[in-house]
Amino acid sequence: YFMKNTGLLPLSILLFLFTKTLHAENTPSRYHADSLMALVKQTKLPIERAKLYAQMIEAFVFIDRDSSQLFFDKATTEIRHLKAKKLSEKELQEAEILEGRTLFMIGTVKYSGALFDSALMYYKKAVVYQEKWKDKANWANTLNYMGRLYERQGQHATFYNLTQKALQLQQEVKDTSGISISLIALADFYRRKGIADSSEYYYAAALELLRKTNNPERLSFCLHSQGAFFEEQGRYEEAIALFFEAVKIQEANKLYIGAMKNQVRIASLHIKMDAFDK
């Protein structure tokens, strides 16, 4: 998020969200978006209003795409009005970095709705601003998502090149979270290609990094992914050890759905090993 603020939701927006939002009335994202709207009314600066709208795109990205689209339209209107004025280079940079961020987020809204061509279009637009202003962390994140879309199209070389470029940018700005995403993506890529040594190398690199960070969800995901890789290799004991480690982390952090999935994987491996009592 760009900022942390509180406030109340004006009635007109409240009525819109009640009619358009699916089961979002009591979610943390809903409360977060509610808390931002009064600030929009109080804020006179277009750049600050655009930032608030950008936060609301993100708040609703996975629960109501219509609301995210509304906030995107409002954010881009504010940015367009701002850019119509005579701006200093610093002001233009701030506006276009924000524009790149909002384009990325609406691209992700489209991605979540399986509108892949539309998502790719927005990602390409976002990259223009991110590359122009060397907004490396966000640029890399966009490249990661673009890479996945190209891989869906069977363009594996493009996926690989974009992911490697993302990894380079993330390393330059020491974006630990981003680096782990790229490493896992490359590990999965080599796993699908059947290149076991390279896949294991990248999984191990991601795990080493994630064990030094406080990101239990991503760490448990990486453990699950490498465990599945070991299972495919017939290395059942190693797979079980990783699945158990993931379960321990997930239960400690109340990530119960993931914990259940890993326990099912463990049970299936015991069946393969004729350890039915387990």
Side-chain angles (χ1 to χ4, degrees), residues 21-276:
T21 301
L22 302 176
H23 310 297
E25 289 84 353
N26 298 312
T27 64
S29 292
R30 173 59 182 274
Y31 289 134
H32 179 68
D34 288 3
S35 73
L36 296 169
M37 284 306 302
L39 288 168
V40 173
K41 292 186 69 176
Q42 298 166 14
T43 302
K44 296 181 179 180
L45 295 175
I47 188 67
E48 297 302 329
R49 286 197 298 269
K51 287 178 181 178
L52 291 167
Y53 284 129
Q55 290 182 68
M56 286 183 277
I57 302 169
E58 193 167 19
F60 276 84
V61 62
F62 294 117
I63 60 174
D64 183 12
R65 289 185 287 275
D66 288 341
S67 294
S68 286
Q69 182 68 55
L70 170 72
F71 298 135
F72 171 74
D73 293 341
K74 290 183 176 294
T76 52
T77 297
E78 297 288 354
I79 293 169
R80 184 169 61 250
H81 289 163
L82 182 65
K83 290 174 68 175
K85 301 176 182 179
K86 187 175 181 179
L87 301 176
S88 67
E89 184 176 8
K90 184 177 181 180
E91 290 171 330
L92 179 62
Q93 178 181 8
E94 184 179 17
E96 291 192 337
I97 285 177
L98 179 60
E99 189 168 5
R101 179 64 179 153
T102 59
L103 286 163
F104 165 77
M105 286 191 291
I106 198 63
T108 304
V109 171
K110 303 301 182 183
Y111 197 141
S112 71
L115 301 172
F116 301 123
D117 290 341
S118 180
L120 186 57
M121 176 193 71
Y122 283 113
Y123 289 151
K124 287 179 177 178
K125 290 181 179 180
V127 163
V128 171
Y129 297 117
Q130 292 162 345
E131 184 173 7
K132 175 181 178 180
W133 297 109
K134 301 297 184 289
D135 184 18
K136 293 183 179 181
N138 287 320
W139 181 10
N141 200 25
T142 306
L143 292 177
N144 277 138
Y145 277 77
M146 287 177 66
R148 296 174 200 172
L149 289 172
Y150 279 115
E151 190 175 29
R152 285 183 60 87
Q153 298 174 0
Q155 299 186 43
H156 303 296
T158 303
F159 160 80
Y160 180 82
N161 291 335
L162 289 174
T163 305
Q164 286 284 9
K165 176 63 176 176
L167 180 59
Q168 177 189 338
L169 292 168
Q170 289 154 348
Q171 289 171 334
E172 288 175 7
V173 295
K174 296 180 172 59
D175 178 10
T176 302
S177 177
I179 291 169
S180 69
I181 291 173
S182 293
L183 291 173
I184 294 170
L186 290 168
D188 290 342
F189 171 76
Y190 282 116
R191 177 179 159 194
R192 287 188 291 271
K193 286 284 190 181
I195 306 174
D197 289 348
S198 295
S199 182
E200 186 168 354
Y201 170 81
Y202 282 108
Y203 279 132
L207 273 179
E208 181 181 1
L209 184 65
L210 286 167
R211 285 194 170 105
K212 299 175 183 177
T213 64
N214 183 27
N215 193 330
E217 191 166 9
R218 186 158 298 150
L219 174 56
S220 60
F221 172 76
C222 187
L223 288 163
H224 174 89
S225 297
Q226 188 170 22
F229 164 71
F230 283 153
E231 181 177 353
E232 292 167 3
Q233 298 292 308
R235 297 159 63 177
Y236 295 159
E237 294 289 353
E238 292 172 273
I240 288 172
L242 291 177
F243 290 143
F244 264 127
E245 185 179 351
V247 167
K248 184 177 180 181
I249 292 167
Q250 289 163 330
E251 289 182 338
N253 290 277
K254 299 183 179 180
L255 302 169
Y256 297 125
I257 299 297
M260 285 193 297
K261 290 179 179 179
N262 280 308
Q263 287 169 330
V264 169
R265 295 296 288 262
I266 293 167
S268 70
L269 282 172
H270 284 311
I271 291 172
K272 291 180 180 180
M273 298 168 67
D274 295 330
F276 299 104

